[in-house]
Amino acid sequence: MLTIFLVSLFGFLAFGIPVAFALILSTAALMLFHNNFDTQIVVQHMMAGAENYTLMSIPFFMLAGEIMNQGGISVRIVKFANDLIGHVRGGLGYVTVVACMIFAGVSGTAVADTAAVGSILHPVMKKEGYESDRSAALICAAGCTGPIIPPSMPMILYGVIGGVSIVGLFLGGIVPGLIMGFALMIYWYIHSRKKDYPVKQRVPFIQLLKSMLDAIWALILPLVIMGGIVFGIFTPTEAAVVAVWYAFFVSFFIYRELKLSKLPEILLDAAISSAVVMFVASAATSTAFMITVGRIPQAIAEVITSISTNPLVVMFIINIFLLLVGAVLDLTPAMLILAPILIPLVKNLGIDPLYFGVVMVFNLCIGLLTPPVGTVLYVGCGLSGHSIMQLSRRVLPFVVVLIAVLFLITYVPETILFIPKWFQGR
Amino acid sequence: GCGKPAPAPDANKEKKPEVRVVKIANYFPPTHPQNIALKEKFKPYLEEKTKGAFKVEIYDNNQLGSEKEFINGVSMGTIEMAVAGLLQAEMLPKLKIPEFPYLFRDYDHAMKVLNGPIGEEITQGMIEKGTRPLAWSVNGLRAISNSKHPIKSLKDTKDIKLRVPTNSIFIDGMQALGFNTVSMPMTELFSALQQKVVDGQENPAPTVLTSGWYEAQKYITLSYHILGPNIMIISEKFWQTLTPEQQKIFKEAALEYAKYEVDLMKKFDPEALAKLKEKGLQIDELTDRPEWEKAVQPVYEKWYKQYPEFKDIVQRIKDTK
Amino acid sequence: MKILLYAERALELFTAFLLACMAIIVFINVVARYVFDKAFPWNEEISLFMFTWVVFLGALLAFKRHRHLGLDIVINLLPNLGKKVAAFIGNILMAGALLILIQGGIKFYFQTVVWPAPATQIPYGYVNAVVPFSAFFMLLLLIKDTVEIFQKEKNEGEGGTQC
Ligand code: NA
Ligand code: NA
């Protein structure tokens, strides 16, 4: 059963057909093998996968991100970060990381984060004399804080699949997200000491204050979202909707940069982007049904536990496995295909599913940077005009840094669990 | 695993009759009386009596999808059996009756009515929908938990934001009792309670225990406003492939399991309450139960208006001794 | 062919409109709960139904724009002719997946059209109809794409070199 599943899925994928269709076909293959072929099963479970109130937050977070981009909010985040730390050697590098981390507080995906910050910062970095390819690589790596720092689309998917508290997962991502940002900045510090990057003058304090006030509306949005969820004002889905209206209000009434005529395109773009994700999620739900009926998680658990039942060793094996999967599969499908298989396994071994969720999201985020399939890497290529080969080489040191952080959070679980536990004990 | 090739057909010449798999879907956690009864009663009974012709596989905790999904699955024949709630009431309105507030006196009263002729009358039409009812059991007497203050009488309900399922009987009933109702899916309930998006919820005490919601609750009131019935269904397509003897064994196994489950539930309810008390919950009884029974009368009136035949059925249920 | 362009535009606007409605309805829920201490049970249901429509109509629009997530590394390793053959086989496989959705979707529609949703009383079948609908139009788009594979072949055979 396991063999049928893997061979059919990767076989179909090899023909270059979209993941959602490959999932539908491998579901059909499993049904044929299991002697219960019925097209209605596929559709019924696909509908059930889409009919999910929590997943409704996905189009809303995408919509909020798009409105903020078009409404001048992203520009102000970058300007503020620049006035704050642009004056040290290699300053724009830190600006990139800080801007990405702030934007991560309002966007749920790495692609949105990378594209929003990168499209503003990359041209500036190039003009100021930073190497174009290295800058692009840094932007890509920093953009991966997007789904680690809450809100996070992959964490929503994981929470729905595993029945894990989404608020808990969001809280669990805060410290790993901060560590990730600081690790990138430390690397950049070591790197830029050797380089002759230009040093700009520190901006007068009054100008820093001005750009902070100008960006304040964007800066408090992360607090509105997380505060609203944590203090029980709304559920994650509602938080996403509040983010939409907040972004709309700020861009339209305060910054006055959003044109109403642009709204249909913004809405359509958010709808299609989230449909792409949701179509895979929906197809994966029907596959998950057949995975359960075929007892595939048990088969995989047997393979892994035959090697070791020590949680530390199992986490190591799973991490390596996920890094390999992340190389060839995008974050969303990898999460949707593997979470239903891995969650029962880790639960059986006494591993906290909340902790595991954050590790899994972090791990698969690294996959967004690794060739051959790395969506964020592709965005970086689009931004900078470099080839995948060239950018992959430049992004390699950052990937090494992120893998180090991955193993840090894996083997020091408190980094993840500290904040969720603290809030529960409240 | 199943990935290995099957042994060549002529490896063992005497062909053993194929073992047929019976998948049973439900939404209860593995430790719930429903799953214990399925595991300890239904599975061994059926497998032994049919001399291994059937193999029962229990899929708890929504493993085969949510309630709506697995009911559809049973009706299509892709899932053989399920223990479900009364979601099909939207198609077959008579199924709403067992969930009317303060309808049954206790578990025994409910079982006597539902597993008798009135139960058959209520489930009319289910076979045509592909889901044959086999036996009724119980999800439990529903209690009200909250994090704000003790609820002892009708005066205490006004400022409580209570989560209820998206089901008009529950919404109308709890509103008639004075609560502010919020409907949200079960999956969001835990964090909603924790973050105080809602103050409380109403479910049987064992569910409050097994789902961990007590972590976010301080008080529980034994209102016992609704007796949540469950119904074991079998796919009509699958049923028609069984021999009359096999059908008889399935029916017996179902009734045995149901009886066992209700017995477990009678023990499990006080046990769960004791454990909840240990976890620090304050347990309250109603001081004015007749008032509560009176307050929900509009729910009955509303449905009588739409379906006048309900009045007679309700009367016969109340008359059942 | 102009009518097709209009139809596509209408579908785009309708999808965008549904998402806007979702944003309004869910927001009303938050406001109603906090300002008026009230919640509407139909709210969750109707927004969820709109969401499933956005997902499947959006999937159709994404299909038109070739935006579905896929893996083209293996195909890219192949020589030109191999690419065409693989693309052709890939399209046949996708047609298979779409036929599953169309047949299963129609069956599922008839099963659920008699089942009204609790709060809004909208039959689930109306919601589920979006699956065969989108799948059918995806199939048409797929056929068009497949024909284009062969047309390109012909052009190249005639010496057309636009790569
Ligand atoms: Na984020
Ligand atoms: Na990758």
Side-chain angles (χ1 to χ4, degrees), chain B residues 24 83 246 271 287 314:
Chain B
I24 306 185
V83 176
Q246 287 171 335
E271 271 173 32
T287 55
V314 167

Side-chain angles (χ1 to χ4, degrees), chain A residues 122-181:
Chain A
H122 189 263
V124 181
M125 289 181 90
K126 208 168 150 189
K127 206 177 74 196
E128 302 261 332
Y130 292 75
E131 305 104 304
S132 163
D133 52 355
R134 202 183 298 277
S135 315
L138 175 69
I139 290 168
C140 290
C144 287
T145 52
I148 313 291
I149 294 175
S152 162
M153 189 193 75
M155 286 185 191
I156 294 171
L157 290 174
Y158 179 91
V160 167
I161 295 168
V164 180
S165 155
I166 287 160
V167 183
L169 289 164
F170 278 9
L171 290 170
I174 293 176
V175 174
L178 294 178
I179 298 178
M180 182 176 174

Side-chain angles (χ1 to χ4, degrees), chain A residues 323-331 364-375 377-378:
Chain A
L323 284 170
L324 293 174
V325 169
V328 292
L329 217 53
D330 197 47
L331 169 63
L364 293 175
C365 273
I366 298 175
L368 294 172
L369 295 172
T370 53
V373 179
T375 326
L377 201 62
Y378 298 168

Side-chain angles (χ1 to χ4, degrees), chain A residues 1 3 33 38 40-41 44-45 48 51 53-54 167 229-232 235 237 289 292-295 424, chain B residues 2-3 23 57-59 63-64 68-70 72-73 76 78-79 184-185 188 191 194-197 215:
Chain A
M1 206 71 187
T3 330
F33 184 75
D38 187 337
Q40 204 176 327
I41 297 183
Q44 186 207 337
H45 287 93
E51 232 173 70
Y53 195 75
T54 311
V167 183
I229 298 177
V230 168
F231 294 106
T235 64
T237 306
F289 174 79
T292 315
V293 171
R295 306 243 160 195
Q424 261 179 12
Chain B
C2 337
K23 296 190 288 294
E57 285 177 2
I58 300 159
Y59 291 87
Q63 277 188 60
L64 294 187
K68 191 168 105 220
E69 278 173 84
F70 63 65
N72 269 323
M76 283 153 51
T78 55
I79 299 172
M184 64 170 61
E188 283 202 30
S191 58
Q194 228 169 15
Q195 316 309 329
K196 302 203 165 49
V197 175
E215 279 179 30

Side-chain angles (χ1 to χ4, degrees), chain A residues 15-19 25 38-40 43-44 47 50 56 232-233 238 245 265 267-268 273 275 279 328 372-373, chain C residues 9 12 19 23 26-27 33-34 51 55 58-59 67-69 71 73 75 90 93 103-105 107-108 111 128 131:
Chain A
F15 280 102
I17 69 178
V19 184
L25 290 170
D38 187 337
T39 54
Q40 204 176 327
V43 175
Q44 186 207 337
M47 274 315 282
M56 234 161 74
I233 303 172
E238 295 170 348
W245 286 101
E265 287 324 302
L267 281 162
L268 183 63
S273 306
F279 197 49
V328 292
V373 179
Chain C
R9 188 67 195 145
E12 286 176 355
L19 182 56
V26 178
F27 192 65
R33 203 172 61 231
Y34 278 90
F51 178 46
V55 170
R67 276 186 55 183
H68 282 293
L69 298 168
L71 202 69
I73 38 167
I75 275 203
L93 288 170
Q103 200 217 9
K107 283 205 295 190
F108 194 47
Q111 192 188 338
N128 298 337
V131 178

